[in-house]
Amino acid sequence: MGIPTFENQNGRMMEGDGGASIIDMLIRAGKRQSVFRSYVFPYMDRPNLTVLTHALVTRLTFAGARATGVEISYGGKTRRIAAESEVVLSLGAINTPKVLMQSGIGDQAELQRLGIPVVQHLPGVGQNFQDHPAFGCIWEYLEALPPRNNLGEATFFWKSDPQLASPDSQTCQVEVPLSSAENAARFGLPANGWTLLGGLVQPKSRGQIRLTGPNPLDPIQIEANFLSHPDDLKAAIACVELCREIGNSEPLGPFAKREVMPGNLKGLELENFIRDEASTYRHETCTAKMGRDSMSVVDGSLRVYGIDNLRIADGSIMPRVTTGNTMAPCVIIGERAAEILREAHKIEHADVPHPEESVAL
């Protein structure tokens, strides 16, 4: 197809003209490693670290405009944990704005509508939601191959328009059929198949996260607004067409008994397939963005505007979703947050810090 190959998907491939590669992963002793397993688990025996599972953070506590700790629901009881130094929220792009709004930090009119006392008017909380919408194109195996390894270890980035400065789509090959519920019901999924899962990595559509009520157990409302910008639909059509061209190419013939979806759809039928197929790459970001405009939530040091002793360190602070997977950028945000906290609280960098020197989180 004229798509060049690279040693990995980072740097030149996703920021240049595009290409294909095997995907980088964190693997140790044959198993994928989570960030928790890599960063936290080796230090679980430290006296200044407590990991409390099955605890729901319900809201922040304040003394005026100063964050003093968090309130949690744990073991059927409401408990408060005080922070002597700072609180750092790292709950992700859905739950970070949820906790902020339930604590009175958000758009004043929206909070008042729900009967939540306003602590700080920040209209950008929950706004600017971004994600990488995904579209599955599926083939049935000619002869069933057992899924192995990560279920998918090849990817390519490409441009929907050669005039673009960098790729606006990413596709991963998946060793199982992967589709939306709507299209799975319409087309039917083969017992044995594989997928080219296309995705938009520079979406122009923006969504929002909203509360449905003041109670922490009230469900969050996620308005993703996928494909609401016309340019995203054009890019999605180009992505699906490229996936079909590759999936139906001669080199993949030995692996394809038939194309299951979308098939040779055109015009409105193809648009409807894409709208029904749009799902998440699970790269939700940008709902408490860093910046200096009126819709920004944190400054360059991750501090929440108008609130003392409160920072955010997760993907919600991104102004724009990254071109590609979001795990590594979130790790960098965490690393940078650690540097900022060390400097702010004059913590000496040591392999095992003394408990009294640690920041109370």
Side-chain angles (χ1 to χ4, degrees):
M1 297 299 162
I3 298 176
T5 57
F6 288 76
E7 67 280 2
N8 61 59
Q9 79 270 28
N10 298 305
R12 292 179 300 138
M13 186 173 127
M14 66 172 64
E15 296 175 3
D17 290 328
S21 76
I22 300 300
I23 299 171
D24 274 349
M25 295 179 191
L26 290 177
I27 298 174
R28 183 176 293 125
K31 292 185 178 181
R32 283 194 69 177
Q33 301 293 301
S34 67
V35 175
F36 172 84
R37 177 66 57 172
S38 301
Y39 274 78
V40 182
F41 187 78
Y43 307 107
M44 288 287 284
D45 58 348
R46 287 186 174 184
N48 62 332
L49 171 65
T50 300
V51 176
L52 194 62
T53 60
H54 305 289
L56 176 68
V57 179
T58 55
R59 69 183 188 94
L60 298 157
T61 59
F62 301 98
R66 180 171 63 88
T68 58
V70 294
E71 189 177 89
I72 66 171
S73 177
Y74 181 69
K77 297 181 180 180
T78 298
R79 303 169 185 262
R80 287 190 170 187
I81 300 175
E84 294 181 4
S85 298
E86 294 196 32
V87 176
V88 180
L89 290 183
S90 187
L91 304 173
I94 294 173
N95 284 307
T96 284
K98 175 178 182 283
V99 168
L100 287 174
M101 289 186 286
Q102 286 175 331
S103 304
I105 301 173
D107 182 75
Q108 179 174 311
E110 186 74 3
L111 297 177
Q112 290 175 338
R113 181 181 68 85
L114 296 169
I116 299 174
V118 178
V119 176
Q120 177 64 35
H121 172 59
L122 284 179
V125 173
Q127 301 298 308
N128 195 44
F129 176 88
Q130 297 171 48
D131 193 2
H132 294 150
F135 319 95
C137 302
I138 297 175
W139 286 261
E140 184 177 9
Y141 272 119
L142 185 62
E143 294 183 11
L145 294 177
R148 58 183 183 158
N149 300 332
N150 186 64
L151 302 184
E153 300 193 3
T155 190
F156 63 86
F157 286 77
W158 207 240
K159 299 177 183 179
S160 62
D161 182 344
Q163 303 300 317
L164 293 173
S166 59
D168 59 345
S169 70
Q170 177 188 9
T171 297
C172 292
Q173 191 272 339
V174 182
E175 297 176 21
V176 294
L178 191 59
S179 173
S180 68
E182 292 84 353
N183 281 335
R186 175 184 171 189
F187 292 88
L189 295 182
N192 298 287
W194 50 275
T195 305
L196 288 178
L197 187 66
L200 302 185
V201 291
Q202 295 196 38
K204 295 181 180 179
S205 302
R206 299 291 183 265
Q208 62 180 340
I209 303 296
R210 303 182 67 183
L211 298 181
T212 62
N215 191 306
L217 296 180
D218 291 330
I220 200 76
Q221 184 169 322
I222 304 170
E223 299 174 2
N225 286 336
F226 284 162
L227 306 176
S228 57
H229 195 289
D231 288 354
D232 287 354
L233 182 59
K234 293 177 183 177
I237 291 172
C239 178
V240 168
E241 289 177 339
L242 178 59
C243 287
R244 291 196 64 237
E245 187 177 0
I246 293 173
N248 291 322
S249 65
E250 184 178 351
L252 288 176
F255 304 98
K257 179 179 180 180
R258 66 185 178 97
E259 180 185 359
V260 177
M261 67 174 76
N264 193 28
L265 301 180
K266 300 294 183 183
L268 186 59
E269 283 190 331
L270 180 57
E271 290 184 13
N272 289 337
F273 167 82
I274 288 172
R275 291 190 182 280
D276 285 342
E277 184 59 24
S279 57
T280 175
Y281 245 108
R282 295 170 179 84
H283 295 163
E284 302 92 343
T285 48
C286 306
T287 51
K289 73 168 187 172
M290 178 186 293
R292 298 178 180 178
D293 62 16
S294 62
M295 297 301 287
S296 297
V297 178
V298 300
D299 65 14
S301 296
L302 305 176
R303 293 173 296 204
V304 175
Y305 284 115
I307 303 293
D308 294 330
N309 302 335
L310 178 62
R311 300 184 204 248
I312 299 173
D314 60 33
S316 67
I317 65 102
M318 298 180 188
R320 182 181 70 81
V321 67
T322 50
T323 303
N325 298 56
T326 51
M327 187 200 75
C330 286
V331 170
I332 296 301
I333 292 169
E335 292 263 15
R336 182 68 184 120
E339 292 177 356
I340 291 170
L341 289 168
R342 267 207 312 268
E343 183 177 339
H345 297 279
K346 304 296 187 292
I347 302 169
E348 292 185 12
H349 182 46
D351 186 45
V352 182
H354 191 279
E356 294 177 359
E357 294 178 333
S358 65
V359 179
L361 303 179

